[in-house]
Amino acid sequence: MARIQKKIRQERLKEKLHNSPFLTDEELAAFLVVSVQTIRLDRLELGIPELRERIKFMAEEAQTKLKAIASGDVIGELIDLDLGKSGISILAVTPEMVLEKTKVARAHYIYAQANSLALAVIDAPAAVTGVANIKYKISVHLGEKLVAKAEVMKKRGNKYFVWVKTRNETQEVFRAKFIMASLD
């Protein structure tokens, strides 16, 4: 009986990591109602690397796909990229990024992450931002981790319409609609 439960647990673990690859061992343990050590043993048995290695692998793979922007120009860590369709980046808010008095992140860092991600998803040799409609929803503080997801909604001629939504661990903090123009 224990063998069957283990197989089911490991299948659920693989499925959960496929859908949400940024979950920590602690979050996975809570989801599956087992110990962190059990998760680590299951990952080892299944050949699934720890969170840092998963992110590093995804980032290296995404960097090789870039066309419209150089990898050094991406703000945050690009971890997933499907050119012409979608992309994901992560940005950890550090002390240099916040206002000294309030420890609230400076808005231009949040915008820069979204804008550079929108450029990264463009399937063209070069592109620029034509229009940006942005909305800051809640303030972001020191130590938060921001996950930005970009999606190309449509392409008309040399224009790409890209939506970017940025979340912290619990809620959406920023949203943008970009019209990016490819330079041919």
Side-chain angles (χ1 to χ4, degrees):
M1 180 84 176
R3 260 306 185 209
I4 294 171
Q5 288 180 341
K6 180 178 178 181
K7 285 194 177 293
I8 292 170
R9 182 184 68 239
Q10 288 181 345
E11 283 302 315
R12 288 183 183 153
L13 174 67
K14 286 194 293 190
E15 183 180 322
K16 189 70 172 172
L17 283 175
H18 177 73
N19 295 330
S20 304
F22 314 117
L23 293 176
T24 64
D25 287 348
E26 291 77 12
E27 292 166 327
L28 291 166
F31 172 74
L32 294 170
V33 193
V34 294
S35 69
V36 173
Q37 187 59 35
T38 299
I39 293 296
R40 289 180 180 150
L41 289 170
D42 283 350
R43 274 194 311 93
L44 184 65
E45 189 174 316
L46 295 169
I48 299 171
E50 66 179 350
L51 175 62
R52 244 185 305 226
E53 290 299 315
R54 290 193 307 268
I55 291 174
K56 182 180 172 188
F57 173 76
M58 292 174 73
E60 288 170 354
E61 188 176 291
Q63 296 291 333
T64 62
K65 298 177 185 176
L66 286 171
K67 284 176 88 173
I69 187 172
S71 62
D73 292 333
V74 176
I75 306 302
E77 187 174 358
L78 184 64
I79 55 165
D80 187 32
L81 184 63
D82 189 357
L83 273 179
K85 293 183 182 169
S86 63
I88 300 173
S89 75
I90 296 177
L91 178 69
V93 180
T94 62
E96 306 82 48
M97 297 178 185
V98 298
L99 299 168
E100 188 176 327
K101 184 177 179 182
T102 61
K103 304 299 182 205
V104 171
R106 293 183 172 111
H108 62 273
Y109 285 103
I110 300 167
Y111 173 81
Q113 178 191 21
N115 183 249
S116 65
L117 181 59
L119 279 169
V121 300
I122 303 303
D123 189 9
V128 294
T129 304
V131 176
N133 180 346
I134 63 174
K135 182 176 184 179
Y136 293 92
K137 297 183 80 176
I138 63 168
S139 53
V140 174
H141 298 89
L142 176 64
E144 289 187 43
K145 187 186 297 184
L146 302 178
V147 178
K149 295 182 180 182
E151 184 177 354
V152 176
M153 301 309 287
K154 66 181 170 181
K155 181 182 184 288
R156 188 181 312 145
N158 73 329
K159 296 198 180 347
Y160 291 80
F161 296 78
V162 182
W163 288 13
V164 179
K165 294 177 182 174
T166 303
R167 298 180 60 85
N168 62 13
E169 286 186 23
T170 59
Q171 59 192 324
E172 189 174 83
V173 299
F174 176 84
R175 178 185 333 167
K177 295 176 185 174
F178 293 101
I179 299 176
M180 313 302 279
S182 65
L183 305 174
D184 295 329

